[in-house]
Amino acid sequence: MLGDLDPGKVMDYLRADAPEEVFDRFAATLLHSPDTFDSDFLATLISGDGGPAAVSTLLGDIARALPLEDVAGPLALHQRAFQLWDQALDLVDGDPALAPALVGIGHFAFAEGTDQHQWLTRTLRTVAATPNIKYPDRVAQRAARSAQDPDALRILTALVAGSDGSQGQIDYRAHAVVRAAQDALDTSEPGTEGRADLGQALGRYANDVERATAW
């Protein structure tokens, strides 16, 4: 039914802050029936006023629609979600002004069934484009599980830097990011690539003098 709707009107509706249940249905369709829409669906949606925000919401709903567990190896739905995430990243690479489209990517931190290495690779590209993502605390906590992986340390470095600027206000998510970064640094092996940069970020943005000289 969604595939029979006028594409132009659909895009305008999604960009105009459509109800959450509408995004839920589009997310489910993109995952379960990827041929319903043209391959350039996200590229078309992201254009125009409200486009990046619409893509952000849609990506968040796609992440939330994924199975929580995957005991038999990567599922087709997970791979499809990663492909859509890749498309969004490629669009932002082509135009950094579209970075707000990645805000909803933070929801993927909850998608426990997704492969950790693939999640780390894409999350690093995401926070390199913008550390302003939803649930940075959960992203940091998931990255910290892979403290021996340089990509995880680079993700945490970007998030620690992005958590700066609270101007003295209590921000529990920012505190959780710093705590996860500290835990990852403490459990990673000295000399791990990216470890020194993470220590310096903690020193600069979290006043963590003790860890600032980590190597």
Side-chain angles (χ1 to χ4, degrees), residues 24-60:
D24 287 342
R25 291 175 183 174
F26 273 87
T29 302
L30 283 166
L31 284 175
H32 293 276
S33 302
D35 294 332
T36 301
F37 306 112
D38 293 336
S39 59
D40 61 351
F41 180 85
L42 288 185
T44 304
L45 178 60
I46 205 171
S47 63
D49 292 341
V55 170
S56 171
T57 300
L58 187 58
L59 290 172

Side-chain angles (χ1 to χ4, degrees), residues 56 85 89 99-109 119 122-140 155 158-159 162 173 177:
S56 171
W85 188 350
L89 286 168
L102 302 178
V103 171
I105 289 299
H107 285 277
F108 275 89
W119 178 83
R122 290 165 174 82
T123 300
L124 179 58
R125 285 186 64 191
T126 299
V127 298
T130 174
N132 180 29
I133 56 176
K134 285 185 177 292
Y135 305 108
D137 52 333
R138 294 299 296 264
V139 174
I155 290 167
L159 292 177
R173 292 196 191 278
V177 167

Side-chain angles (χ1 to χ4, degrees), residues 52-115:
V55 170
S56 171
T57 300
L58 187 58
L59 290 172
D61 287 348
I62 287 169
R64 293 192 296 109
L66 291 173
L68 294 179
E69 296 182 358
D70 180 10
V71 296
L75 294 174
L77 291 182
H78 292 155
Q79 293 306 118
R80 175 59 180 162
F82 279 143
Q83 290 171 3
L84 293 165
W85 188 350
D86 287 340
Q87 288 180 25
L89 286 168
D90 290 342
L91 290 168
V92 172
D93 283 347
D95 186 353
L98 300 178
L102 302 178
V103 171
I105 289 299
H107 285 277
F108 275 89
F110 296 89
E112 295 289 351
T114 51
D115 178 78

